[in-house]
Amino acid sequence: MAPSVDPHATGKLPVHDLPTPEPESPLRPRKPYRFSTLCATVENPDMKDQYGSSSVPIYQTATFKGVGAEYDYTRSGNPTRTHLQHHIAKISSAAHAFTVSSGMAALDVILRLLKPGDEIIAGDDLYGGTNRLLTYIKTHVGVTVHHVDTTDPTSLYPFIHPTKTAMVLLESPTNPLLKIADLAKISSDVKERAPDAIIVVDNTMMSPYLQRPLEHGADIVYDSATKYLSGHHDLMAGVMTCNRDDLAKKLAFTINSVGNALTPIDSFLLLRGIKTLALRMDRQQSNAQQVAEYLYSLGFRVHYPGLADHPGQDVHQRIADGNGAVLSFETSNKELSEKIVGGTNLWGISVSFGCVNSLISMPCVMSHASIDPATRAARGLPEDLIRLCVGIEDPHDLLDDLERALISAGAIAFDASQNKYVRVPDDDALSLAVQKLQLDGVLQDTEWFVSAPGKVILFGEHAVVHGVTAIAASVDLRCYGLSTPRQDRKLSIHLLDINNFYHEWDIESLPWNAVTPVPPGGEHPEELDQRLIEALNESPLKGIGEDQKAARGASLVFLYLYMILNRNEVRPAFNFTARSTLPCVRRQRHYWSIGGSPSHCPPAPSSSDHIHVSHQGRRAISPTTAEEVNKWAFVAEKILHGNPSGVDNSVAVYGGALAYTRPGFGKKSGMEGIQGFKSLKFLLTNSKVPRDTKKLVAGVGEKKANEPELVNGILDSIQSISDEARRALADPELPRDSLLSALSILMDENHKHLVTLGVSHPSLETIKAKTKEPHNLSTKLTDFKDEQLQDLIDDLIREGFQPYLTSVGGSGLGILSPYPGHRTRGSRLYHAPEGFGQVTPPDTPIPREPSPVQIVDGSENAANNLDPLRAPFVSSTVAELPEWAAELGRWAGNPCGASNTGPS
């Protein structure tokens, strides 16, 4: 016998039928219970528990015994679910309530009310899953879907047809732009013009506590109960409520037919969650208000109904009892938004909302990624939008974590004049200044300070030369460069981390007759100017011996770019000083781990790798000109390495992570950024063992020639590892613990293959053993305590290695603003010994007399209200350098790179 549909399955229940206690006397009647009391009090007069249980029992059964009884089959009805539906109807001003397996399942049940030829009017700012299901019924069911701006009720009028309009689907506030729809007016207007149209409202963003659309004319209201009604993200559920008997019968029939009713255990969990709905929502929307006001005060465009200038706030206040706990804001830069999201720690990166824990996401690459970019653009959904779903944590902790991410990403900077952090505009005067600074013009008496990250190859090292895709990422240990004007017609370079190397040249003595300058707007030829290189090696670099190979290479890049970028008009005199928080000994071998077992990684870039970044730092680093910067950085790489891949310079300029495949192997080649790459904790260890990269590469090539089957198989395996790692790193919905677990396994496999190729070293195996036991770094770093980490670092130091705790996936090139208004006056200047700040010491140290070589110091800079940078830059320790740089003021494009370990 087919299961019957019991009365409780229809969800027909009296409105607010929880009995109100009898009055104590006729003179003092009791008022009806308020919402929070209704939430916490689960009572159904028609279903008293036989044992007086204070909690609704879980009837975990598929069938019930007997014939013609109230319940026979859980698909059709279950006592636990009936209790839940009664409770939901009570708090929703509804006569009927239904619960199914998810919010999307609820919408699916509702849309089955439509038939081919019907028309539906929906908003233009909808949840991505809603849009996906509407697209499906449009193409497969023959239903016409009109998307309109529901913030303007009149925008619906042209699409309302008296007989064809079967449904109007609304959200208010919308997800994720928090647009407000006047539910009452739209419901009234539609009923007037199309009496049979069904008004459906997705109330997930508000929950019944803050908004009850049935009270404003809606016919059906649905919620993803996974969100606020549950509140803990430990179940999936969907809820539908209505007051019309005819609609209730149709919904009940579909649920019973397709069998997507909520399970008894989930019904119990949801019922338990609803008891604390009011308590949670009060705390969450209070926190959300503080976060929204904080972001608004920084100058971001914030979408939140609780802000006084939010469009439609008056409408929202009329139909809702609160502002909710979801807000969104725009940064005007997608890459910047990705860095902010990846830089948070307390805010979990997730596609959902409504949980007691705070969440952060980028809708266009996460929850709304199923909407094609063109449609998103047409509907005004910004690609840089960040959505915040605020939880119940202490608001001070939430704001502190968010502020740290904003600072690290370069979205805000400290303004000393206002004594607070302010937003760094994307197209402010700083960006314009960097664009206008040209070496073919007069170089102002201003110091220019730049910063760029290091780089590691996460997967594919030693295999990339054989066509395997390499996954590379930036390291938040950075190189810094400072150019300081001179007034003696000389050019000089100072590399503190390469044996304190210093050299200077008379500008007019450089081989200008050997250079062919690149014209303004032109590009460097494919081939290097060998004539210029030979002239530089024969004359200006002649005094730099082979024992100073790294310094000689850096000087060659410095002079080559200086001369080829010069327009033969004004030849500025300046000193360039470079420092690094990276180990600067070339050809060192390192070991690293990201919440997993260590894996082999390449040598860290030395200062010489990034001379070109400072020299080219005069260029803008906005997205429109970053490509030009990268092209010149690649020229510098060619000078240093002959035939580079372009990975190093791309990571240095753009930051983040990218995938690179070398051309010439019958597959798609080139570089592609890994969008949504999450910042990860990273332990970089300098083994202090010299390495010969060319020799190692040659060794792999020889092994491939001698054992092609073995090596080709290994290369195929490494390619598979790189592909899998790339998918995991780019997956916005992959939980962080799952990501770290996957990376751990892939790193372990990758290392075994590198050992087979013969590119490991005993020192690497020592480090691997140290990190494996007893520290067990194959587990995720979220379980790795600070004390354990310090023990590991101490062990590595005792073994003669040098570990660096940092992160990968951070920011790229940054330029400090030269404008006084963007600088922090009185920023901490570390003690500098006497004489620091001068490019060269005076011939005769006579007091009050200028040295033969002068830089622009405080006296000349006083007119510009700037503190001189070179003295503290040279005298700061490696540990002090990032913090000092971060305190200086506003940075263009990307931040200066103060350490940020990101979410673990």
Side-chain angles (χ1 to χ4, degrees), residues 43-60:
E43 293 287 348
N44 187 341
D46 297 330
M47 298 183 67
K48 295 291 185 181
D49 182 70
Q50 58 181 323
Y51 299 110
S53 171
S54 57
S55 179
V56 174
I58 305 172
Y59 288 86
Q60 191 61 43

Side-chain angles (χ1 to χ4, degrees), residues 204-207 209-210 226-233 273 276-292 304 322-327 347 352-359 388-395 398:
T204 305
M205 293 277 279
M206 288 281 97
S207 84
Y209 179 47
L210 299 181
T226 310
K227 313 299 192 297
Y228 290 116
L229 287 170
S230 165
H232 297 80
H233 281 187
T276 59
L277 172 62
L279 189 67
R280 287 184 281 106
M281 287 299 295
D282 283 341
R283 177 57 177 261
Q284 286 178 268
Q285 67 174 343
S286 172
N287 284 353
Q289 185 71 36
Q290 294 183 57
V291 173
Y304 184 63
N323 300 313
V326 176
L327 61 115
W347 298 79
S352 194
F353 63 90
C355 182
V356 292
N357 304 109
S358 295
L359 306 173
L388 299 176
C389 310
V390 188
I392 65 171
E393 301 92 341
D394 189 290
L398 291 174

Side-chain angles (χ1 to χ4, degrees), residues 16 35 87-94 208 212 214-215 239 241:
H16 289 339
F35 191 95
H87 195 57
I88 291 171
K90 178 181 66 181
I91 66 174
S92 301
S93 300
R212 292 164 297 281
L214 292 179
E215 297 175 357
V239 166
T241 58

